[in-house]
Amino acid sequence: MRAVVADGYGGPEVLRAGELPVPSPGPGQVLVRVRATGLNPGELRLLAGVFRDRAPLTFPHVPGRDFAGTVTEAGPGVTRFSPGDEVFGHALPRGAVAMAALVADVPSLSTGAMAEYAVFEADAPALALRPAALPPEHAAVLPTAALTALPLMRAGAFQKGQRVLVIGAAGGVGGVVVPLLAEAGAHVVATAIPEDEAYVRGLGAAEVIDYRAADPVAETLRRHPGGVDTLVNLALPGDRLAEAARAVRYGGRLLNIAFPAPPADAIGRDDLAPETVLTTARPGDLETVADSALKGTLPATVGRRYTLDEGPRAYADLLNEHTRGKLVVVVDNG
């Protein structure tokens, strides 16, 4: 089978398109013919060796977490899925099993979704049936973003009329967070460059601040002198959150998903501490996500498409270029 492969740690330059044997499903596993896979920055951190002490990779390593595809074989003991089922989901590479210490819930483990075929653990809540009306490319860019956004929405308990500043709204997670906030009735102030303004407004942002032309904190306070109720940080590193937190009213909240997570005392305020939200899959979450996509709440956020052989370039673009929404590799148009 064709796959994107790394033979050692490094950046996108260590990735190549090559041939590997088709993996076989073991007990409790399914083999999936991958139709599409969405890219995530965390895959590059894993490849770079950021977690190698706790989650060492085995090589050759096939990246890829998010996918949509067709079950072609079910291993012994699998009752949840059958050959021919259309599925989508989120999975970590098998070598990253120690990521259990880094995430709230370990999703399905996989041989890597950036390939024509991949094995997944069938009973994990991060796998679900894909409705026929949900296109594979759309389904493939949802799982990581949505399974990050849903815990964030639960943690925030957002109410109608609350003012929420979203930093990094045009990115992959923003493509789910902003629509869910808008659906909840929040007044979303989003940071984005002018080229992305129409996109984030289409997601549901009520206001957009060009962070290249104006200081987002100063501009937020100019528009909302009392500060926003909640800051949702999808992009800034932890050492920049103290400055960003000035936009939050006294007694407000700061929710963070960016890596590395800031310490509790990073803000220097007695009324405000960063709350880092981790990607978590609960039973039924992906089914809820699919329903939201079908009714139009979660639009397709595919920014660029690549072939499987272009997978290494897709990762290079993810690392080196400004991206809107999600990058997707189309593995099989069949």
Side-chain angles (χ1 to χ4, degrees):
M1 70 173 184
R2 298 292 289 173
V4 173
V5 183
D7 296 308
Y9 287 109
E13 72 280 355
V14 305
L15 294 168
R16 59 179 174 83
E19 294 286 336
L20 288 176
V22 175
S24 297
Q29 298 177 335
V30 289
L31 177 66
V32 173
R33 180 170 179 82
V34 179
R35 301 278 299 278
T37 178
L39 280 67
N40 295 286
E43 293 154 28
L44 288 172
R45 289 194 291 270
L46 199 63
L47 181 63
V50 173
F51 306 117
R52 76 168 73 186
D53 290 342
R54 287 177 286 178
L57 298 180
T58 56
F59 297 100
H61 166 70
V62 177
R65 298 183 183 182
D66 291 350
F67 75 97
T70 307
V71 175
T72 60
E73 184 180 349
V78 173
T79 59
R80 186 179 177 206
F81 301 114
S82 301
D85 285 346
E86 297 294 333
V87 294
F88 76 113
H90 161 82
L92 291 173
R94 284 178 175 172
V97 64
M99 290 286 284
L102 307 176
V103 296
D105 254 336
V106 181
S108 172
L109 298 178
S110 166
T111 54
M114 195 65 66
E116 290 181 312
Y117 290 89
V119 164
F120 301 93
E121 296 183 4
D123 287 336
L127 268 68
L129 290 170
R130 175 179 65 84
L134 182 63
E137 291 180 30
H138 191 173
V141 300
L142 286 172
T144 293
L147 296 177
T148 304
L150 289 179
L152 191 150
M153 294 297 296
R154 293 176 184 127
F158 299 98
Q159 302 295 317
K160 185 175 181 179
Q162 286 186 324
R163 295 163 298 177
V164 182
L165 173 61
V166 179
I167 296 179
V173 179
V176 179
V177 168
V178 174
L180 292 181
L181 286 170
E183 184 183 45
H187 180 94
V188 179
V189 182
T191 67
I193 61 175
E195 292 84 349
D196 293 338
E197 179 169 354
Y199 170 74
V200 296
R201 286 190 182 275
L203 294 175
E207 302 179 46
V208 179
I209 295 174
D210 177 3
Y211 62 85
R212 292 181 178 175
D215 172 41
V217 173
E219 182 61 16
T220 298
L221 291 173
R222 185 186 71 81
R223 300 182 189 187
H224 304 279
V228 297
D229 298 295
T230 304
L231 168 64
V232 174
N233 178 50
L234 308 179
L236 289 179
D239 59 1
R240 295 180 58 188
L241 285 182
E243 170 62 18
R246 293 196 302 109
V248 182
R249 66 168 176 81
Y250 185 86
R253 300 183 68 185
L254 194 165
L255 301 178
N256 171 68
I257 70 158
F259 176 87
D265 60 355
I267 305 305
R269 284 171 49 173
D270 59 6
D271 70 304
L272 184 67
E275 304 168 56
T276 295
V277 178
L278 302 176
T279 302
T280 307
R282 291 183 181 179
D285 275 355
L286 282 184
E287 288 81 358
T288 298
V289 168
D291 288 343
S292 294
L294 289 176
K295 73 179 184 180
T297 302
L298 300 179
T301 58
V302 177
R304 299 182 208 169
R305 294 171 175 82
Y306 302 81
T307 67
L308 183 58
D309 282 351
E310 293 172 331
R313 179 164 68 86
Y315 278 111
D317 289 350
L318 179 64
L319 180 66
N320 298 318
E321 298 186 10
H322 173 77
T323 58
R324 174 193 302 164
K326 298 279 288 186
L327 305 186
V328 64
V329 166
V330 179
V331 182
D332 175 16
N333 285 305

